[in-house]
Amino acid sequence: MMAIKNIVFDFGGVIVELDTQRPIDRFREIGVADAAELLDPYEQKGLFLEFEQGKVDLETFRQRLSAHAGKELTIDDIYYGWMGFMRDVPMYKLEYILALRARYKVYILSNTNPVIMRWAKSPVFNPTGLPLTAYCEKIYASYEIGLTKPDPAIFEYMLRDAGMDPAETLFVDDSRRNVEVGASLGMKTYLPGNEEDWREAIGGLLED
């Protein structure tokens, strides 16, 4: 078995903890009655999916969601809704990832959008003032690539762009389907449970 040289983490649900009900409640609050049918912790639906695939920009998303809701929504409304997903940023995980970077190349592969990434890439991301970019070589964000997991093409794009050998790569994601696709492409994988402290498990896989 080839030694692991690269570690790819999902963002929401792995590095940061997600609240799956709060964004539904917030979007309903601002007038999106069918928010429960459009929002998903793994892959969005409809206009929300188009936003995470980069098919529409923030202003177009605002305009179309306003039309969908039947009322004028502001950019602040959009941020209020999307940021409902973000619940907690466990510092012990970020500290562990920083330690991993001394020995491995660390990447992030996330189904996400410019609202979430604006926050994650800013100094308010965590109490240390370090943005998410300080914890990895590169962030592969769905809205920038134009693809979302579990489409194998987004994995292939990342592997090609970073020059990663799948056999030397550990992929950590909280979606079973995403992990299955990663494994089918030759990566070693780990599926953490909800709010799991996965440090010991990851350490064990890296020692195998």
Side-chain angles (χ1 to χ4, degrees), residues 99-171:
L100 288 175
R101 292 198 70 193
R103 295 180 56 197
Y104 306 93
K105 288 189 174 182
V106 175
Y107 301 88
I108 292 168
L109 177 63
S110 177
N111 285 354
T112 189
N113 60 67
V115 170
I116 300 297
M117 279 294 108
R118 180 180 174 182
W119 163 73
K121 292 179 178 181
S122 77
V124 301
F125 171 57
N126 69 69
T128 69
L130 289 177
L132 182 61
T133 49
Y135 297 89
C136 61
E137 301 288 328
K138 186 171 181 177
I139 299 169
Y140 289 93
S142 60
Y143 74 95
E144 294 178 329
I145 299 170
L147 299 162
T148 48
K149 296 177 289 183
D151 188 335
I154 193 171
F155 294 84
E156 292 164 349
Y157 174 91
M158 174 192 68
L159 292 168
R160 182 173 62 251
D161 182 77
M164 282 188 268
D165 182 340
E168 298 175 342
T169 303
L170 172 63
F171 174 58

Side-chain angles (χ1 to χ4, degrees), residues 8-135:
V8 179
F9 289 101
D10 180 29
F11 181 54
V14 174
I15 295 177
V16 299
E17 295 176 1
L18 297 181
D19 189 316
T20 56
Q21 184 59 43
R22 187 168 60 187
I24 293 172
D25 294 340
R26 285 187 176 187
F27 274 108
R28 281 176 174 163
E29 180 185 336
I30 64 173
V32 184
D34 58 345
E37 287 72 54
L38 296 169
L39 290 166
D40 186 275
Y42 302 120
E43 188 176 34
Q44 311 305 334
K45 307 294 189 299
L47 175 60
F48 287 75
L49 177 60
E50 290 183 51
F51 190 43
E52 293 214 330
Q53 289 180 333
K55 293 180 179 177
V56 296
D57 61 15
L58 178 57
E59 176 56 21
T60 303
F61 179 81
R62 185 198 67 78
Q63 292 175 5
R64 288 180 55 186
L65 195 63
S66 294
H68 182 79
K71 58 182 287 191
E72 190 69 13
L73 301 176
T74 67
I75 291 294
D76 285 345
D77 289 331
I78 303 305
Y79 272 79
Y80 174 70
W82 277 112
M83 289 304 297
F85 272 112
M86 301 296 105
R87 195 179 73 191
D88 188 31
V89 182
M91 285 305 303
Y92 72 86
K93 291 183 178 179
L94 293 178
E95 290 164 0
Y96 183 72
I97 290 171
L98 274 183
L100 288 175
R101 292 198 70 193
R103 295 180 56 197
Y104 306 93
K105 288 189 174 182
V106 175
Y107 301 88
I108 292 168
L109 177 63
S110 177
N111 285 354
T112 189
N113 60 67
V115 170
I116 300 297
M117 279 294 108
R118 180 180 174 182
W119 163 73
K121 292 179 178 181
S122 77
V124 301
F125 171 57
N126 69 69
T128 69
L130 289 177
L132 182 61
T133 49
Y135 297 89

